[in-house]
């Protein structure tokens, strides 16, 4: 047993002395020398034990740091209708829906989680804005930037949706100022974010430097911690090309690894990565069994200096250990706040432990924050008259979720029909077919008690405000465009099609041959590869968005109304609108 393991043992102040001095001339000299040697040895042992005890008693305690994280908020200032779906605690074989989210409730939770914490920081992993509900999107997401700034967000990586309106609009979100086209619409001047956007892997090709800072270093009790922020390498395939012209999106892991020596030279040992890329787990919101997806390979490529990874993009919730590192994600739309507890060693200045907990932003548990309520009310006052305008009615909810077999959705059919109706007249484009991308459809049009639908409901379904573009394409180009739905075979983007057009696809066929030429039909006739057809798409697709580059070859483009306004007009003209039977898209495998 070590001396310091017994509570009753006390280390003496000095080594023990002999009972009496030894006389060097005494006959007992030899025995005295032996005794002295034994005493000296005992003194040495006690001294060493005392030193170990003193070291143990004075060893510095670790520094505790709390990192709060969110991702994929998408301007959901009010709780998303779907809440969050989790395992039923009473029966893990079943699922339950928990009402959750909203800036008012999140602000309260963040305050509670930071209360009494000497060291804390609130961060995010991208897509805070873009594809937002009406209240945020109407003002180009200014309310969301203000709400997150007010609740103390400090650092955020850039997601692909931060580029929905282009690089200059992203910089406006950071720096403030009026919208270049719509001007200052809000209840007060827009000052920009008080938090810092980071974009380590997004490089301005003219300067060779990142569009926004690569990292931010925060110091906790004298220990520096670096937060590196970056978006996914695949951003160019997810946004309109003109908005990111002159930007290069580099490999995520290579970018981080190249920064590690620079950070170490600044004395940084603790590194947290905020990345807008994610994975696909199979478990509940605080688990991580069988996770797959891009984040797994990216984390494995990270330098071992990286301690924690906050991820996003896939709209999933998980807390994982991947390659010895903590990896987290907090669902979507503000339903979760991830709490990450770090312990930092005062000597090595590195992370010695990290654990996470995804906390549900339960609307029934966390009361509304008064400051957030006042902010939303100020924007509501401006937006409400527009949002409440009648748009029509529905007989049932129009669902945006596609059929799992074919990829066709009820709302997708109606939106494609609306786009066709808005551009079919000769002076408006003479369109005979319309296509729309599934990623542009962001919310169901939910049936209310009386079935009425408002402009706000319509806007929530199509919040990007893309103008419609009608192009001339050959039948062969239409087929080539449809084949591009599988540019990423693991995540196909099945276009929604207008009435009168239909086609069939085979998932077992080779790339470029999935769409059957004989099954591409318009009004009962097979599409002629050599014939010209007027086709309507949104402006995002027209410039090659989502990888549909064939559309850039279209001739005689005619720009029309905004997509949301086309849907609004269709609702007014055809109400009550009912979901139609699916069948425009068929799958043969």
């Amino acid at each position: 047993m070590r001396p310091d393991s017994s509570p009753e043992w006390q280390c003496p102040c000095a080594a023990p002395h002999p009972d009496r001095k030894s006389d060097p001339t005494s006959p007992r000299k030899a025995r005295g020398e032996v005794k002295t040697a034994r005493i000296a040895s005992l003194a040495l042992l006690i001294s060493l034990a005392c030193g170990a005890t003193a070291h143990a008693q004075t060893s510095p305690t670790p520094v505790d740091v709390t990192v709060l994280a969110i991702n994929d908020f998408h301007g959901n200032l009010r709780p998303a209708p779907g809440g969050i779906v989790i395992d039923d605690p009473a029966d893990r074989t079943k699922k339950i829906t928990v009402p959750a989210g909203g800036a008012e409730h999140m602000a309260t939770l963040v305050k509670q989680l930071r209360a009494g914490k000497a060291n804390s920081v609130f961060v995010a992993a991208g897509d805070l804005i873009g594809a937002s509900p009406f209240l945020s999107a109407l003002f180009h997401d200014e309310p969301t930037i203000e709400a997150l700034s007010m609740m103390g967000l400090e650092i955020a990586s850039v997601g692909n949706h931060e580029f929905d309106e282009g690089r200059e609009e992203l910089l406006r979100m950071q720096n403030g100022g009026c919208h270049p086209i719509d001007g200052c619409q809000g209840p007060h001047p827009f000052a920009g974010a008080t938090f810092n956007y980071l974009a380590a892997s997004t490089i301005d090709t003219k300067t060779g430097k990142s569009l926004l800072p690569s990292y931010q270093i925060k110091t906790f009790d004298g220990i520096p911690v670096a937060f590196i922020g970056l978006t996914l390498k695949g951003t160019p395939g997810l946004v309109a090309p003109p908005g990111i012209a002159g930007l290069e999106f580099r490999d995520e892991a290579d970018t981080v690894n190249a920064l590690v020596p620079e950070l170490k030279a600044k004395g940084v040992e603790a590194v947290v990565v905020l990345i807008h890329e994610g994975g696909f787990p199979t478990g509940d919101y605080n688990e991580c069994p069988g996770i797959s997806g891009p984040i797994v390979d990216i984390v494995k490529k990270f330098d071992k200096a990286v301690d924690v990874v906050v991820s996003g993009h896939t709209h999933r919730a998980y807390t994982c250990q991947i390659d010895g590192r903590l990896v987290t994600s907090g669902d979507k739309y503000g339903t979760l706040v991830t709490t990450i507890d770090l312990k930092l060693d005062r000597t090595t200045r590195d992370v010695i432990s990290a654990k996470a907990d995804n906390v549900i932003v339960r609307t029934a548990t966390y009361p509304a924050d008064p400051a957030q309520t006042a902010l939303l009310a100020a924007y509501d006052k401006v937006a409400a008259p527009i949002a409440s305008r009648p748009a029509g009615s529905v007989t049932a909810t129009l669902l945006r979720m596609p059929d799992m077999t074919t990829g066709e959705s009820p709302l997708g059919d109606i939106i494609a029909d609306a786009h066709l109706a808005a551009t079919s007249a000769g002076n408006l484009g003479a369109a005979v077919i319309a296509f729309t991308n599934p990623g542009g459809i962001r919310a169901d049009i939910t049936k209310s008690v009386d079935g009425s639908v408002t402009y706000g409901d319509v806007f929530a379904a199509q919040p990007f405000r893309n103008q419609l573009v009608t192009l001339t394409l050959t039948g062969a180009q239409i087929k080539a465009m449809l084949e591009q739905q599988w540019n990423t075979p693991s995540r196909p983007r099945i276009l929604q099609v207008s009435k009168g057009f239909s086609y069939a696809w085979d998932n077992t066929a080779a790339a470029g041959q999935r769409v059957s030429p004989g099954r591409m039909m318009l009004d009962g006739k097979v599409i002629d590869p050599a014939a010209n057809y007027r086709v309507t798409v949104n402006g995002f697709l027209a410039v090659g968005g989502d990888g549909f580059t064939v559309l850039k070859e279209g001739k005689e483009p005619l720009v029309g109304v905004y997509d949301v306004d086309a849907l609004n007009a269709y609702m007014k003209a055809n109400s009550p609108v009912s979901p139609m039977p699916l069948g425009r898209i068929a799958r043969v495998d």
Side-chain angles (χ1 to χ4, degrees):
M1 179 179 289
R2 289 174 51 213
D4 58 345
S5 66
S6 172
E8 296 180 357
W9 189 90
Q10 293 185 350
C11 184
C13 296
H17 295 276
D19 293 335
R20 66 184 187 86
K21 294 182 180 180
S22 297
D23 180 356
T25 62
S26 167
R28 297 183 181 179
K29 176 181 178 181
R31 284 185 292 169
E33 289 176 348
V34 171
K35 183 175 181 181
T36 301
R38 288 175 177 173
I39 291 171
S41 297
L42 179 59
L44 176 61
L45 290 173
I46 292 174
S47 176
L48 291 173
C50 289
T53 303
H55 178 75
Q57 290 173 343
T58 61
S59 177
T61 58
V63 174
D64 292 320
V65 176
T66 298
V67 180
L68 305 182
I70 60 172
N71 56 273
D72 296 274
F73 187 66
H74 288 291
N76 279 262
L77 295 166
R78 293 212 162 88
I84 184 172
V85 178
I86 64 172
D87 289 350
D88 186 344
D91 183 352
R92 292 290 301 271
T93 66
K94 299 178 180 179
K95 297 286 186 180
I96 60 172
T97 299
V98 179
E104 295 166 288
H105 306 282
M106 179 186 288
T108 298
L109 174 57
V110 168
K111 282 183 180 178
Q112 291 185 13
L113 292 174
R114 298 187 81 168
K117 303 288 178 64
N119 300 306
S120 67
V121 59
F122 184 19
V123 303
D127 277 9
L128 301 177
I129 59 174
S132 307
F134 179 79
L135 183 61
S136 186
L138 180 65
F139 302 98
H140 299 280
D141 284 313
E142 293 171 13
T144 293
I145 297 296
E146 292 186 9
L148 293 173
S149 295
M150 285 175 56
M151 68 177 75
L153 186 67
E154 296 177 57
I155 307 169
S157 63
V158 172
N160 55 286
H161 278 284
E162 265 81 13
F163 289 102
D164 281 347
E165 295 190 48
R167 61 187 287 177
E168 295 305 321
E169 180 67 358
L170 168 58
L171 295 176
R172 189 178 76 87
M173 292 294 99
Q174 181 70 83
N175 302 319
C178 298
H179 190 272
I181 297 174
D182 293 335
C184 296
Q185 295 178 300
H188 45 255
F190 177 60
T194 60
F195 58 88
N196 294 321
Y197 266 122
L198 305 178
S201 59
T202 305
I203 307 301
D204 187 325
T205 55
K206 287 185 178 180
T207 65
K209 298 180 180 179
S210 58
L211 178 66
L212 290 158
S214 296
Y215 59 82
Q216 183 171 338
I217 298 173
K218 286 189 64 67
T219 301
F220 304 99
D221 283 8
I223 301 177
V225 179
F227 294 85
I228 302 174
L230 62 165
T231 189
L232 69 163
K233 181 173 60 177
T235 295
L238 300 172
V239 301
I244 56 171
L247 295 178
E248 177 187 354
F249 293 82
R250 294 181 178 174
D251 182 84
E252 305 96 337
D254 290 347
T255 298
V256 169
N257 294 346
L259 289 170
V260 169
E262 180 180 330
L263 292 172
K264 285 185 175 292
K266 294 183 176 183
V268 175
E269 295 294 335
V271 178
V272 177
V273 170
L274 312 175
I275 178 173
H276 192 68
E277 182 58 286
F280 302 94
T282 57
D284 204 14
Y285 69 99
N286 251 326
E287 299 175 343
C288 188
I291 189 168
S292 61
I295 196 65
V296 177
D297 291 333
I298 292 171
V299 172
K300 289 180 178 179
K301 285 177 62 180
F302 278 153
D303 188 287
K304 294 300 182 183
V306 174
D307 301 290
V308 176
V309 179
V310 178
S311 65
H313 187 55
T314 57
H315 290 195
R316 305 294 292 272
Y318 47 82
T319 55
C320 300
Q321 286 288 328
I322 300 176
D323 194 38
R325 269 77 73 93
L326 176 66
V327 182
T328 71
S329 181
D331 195 53
K332 62 187 183 302
Y333 306 156
T335 60
L336 294 176
V337 173
T338 305
T339 303
I340 302 170
D341 292 318
L342 304 179
K343 288 188 180 296
L344 307 178
D345 188 286
R346 292 182 186 270
T347 303
T348 66
R349 298 191 292 183
D350 206 350
V351 175
I352 55 177
S353 74
K355 61 181 181 178
D357 179 32
N358 278 328
V359 182
I360 299 176
V361 185
R362 297 175 184 266
T363 56
T365 302
Y366 304 106
D369 176 78
Q372 293 287 330
T373 300
L375 176 69
L376 301 192
Y379 276 99
D380 262 333
K381 187 175 181 179
V382 180
I386 302 171
S388 60
R389 291 174 184 168
S393 61
V394 295
T395 61
T397 294
L398 307 180
L399 298 171
R400 74 183 183 101
M401 289 303 295
D403 178 85
M404 296 302 292
T405 300
T406 66
E408 183 179 357
S409 77
L411 183 53
D413 284 352
I414 288 168
I415 288 175
D417 287 352
H419 294 179
L420 178 62
T423 56
S424 60
N427 64 324
L428 299 177
V432 295
I433 310 171
F435 298 96
T436 193
N437 56 310
I441 307 171
R442 304 306 295 192
D444 300 336
I445 294 182
T446 306
K447 182 182 182 298
S448 61
V449 175
D450 62 359
S452 62
V453 173
T454 66
Y455 181 75
D457 298 326
V458 172
F459 194 102
Q462 291 223 276
F464 291 106
R465 287 182 60 82
N466 285 306
Q467 287 181 281
L468 299 180
V469 181
T470 304
L471 309 161
T472 297
L473 299 174
T474 66
Q477 287 174 320
I478 292 174
K479 181 181 184 302
M481 176 198 68
L482 292 175
E483 295 290 354
Q484 289 184 324
Q485 295 175 126
W486 294 275
N487 282 341
T488 305
S490 62
R491 196 178 181 185
R493 295 180 174 89
I494 304 300
L495 296 171
Q496 305 301 292
V497 306
S498 58
K499 63 182 179 181
F501 181 82
S502 63
Y503 74 97
W505 61 279
D506 183 349
N507 198 49
T508 64
Q513 301 177 33
R514 289 187 170 93
V515 177
S516 170
R519 295 287 298 273
M520 289 173 52
M521 312 284 289
L522 177 61
D523 297 330
K525 297 180 180 180
V526 176
I527 292 288
D528 181 352
N532 290 328
Y533 300 88
R534 292 290 284 170
V535 175
T536 294
V537 294
N538 60 46
F540 169 71
L541 289 173
V543 294
D546 271 354
F548 290 97
T549 56
V550 170
L551 290 170
K552 294 194 291 184
E553 302 170 8
K555 306 296 184 183
E556 302 171 308
L558 180 64
V559 177
V561 299
Y562 287 106
D563 50 9
V564 64
D565 293 334
L567 180 56
N568 188 58
Y570 181 88
M571 294 293 298
K572 286 185 174 182
N574 295 278
S575 288
V577 175
S578 300
M580 292 172 281
L582 303 180
R584 302 176 188 183
I585 304 174
R587 183 170 170 177
V588 298
D589 63 290

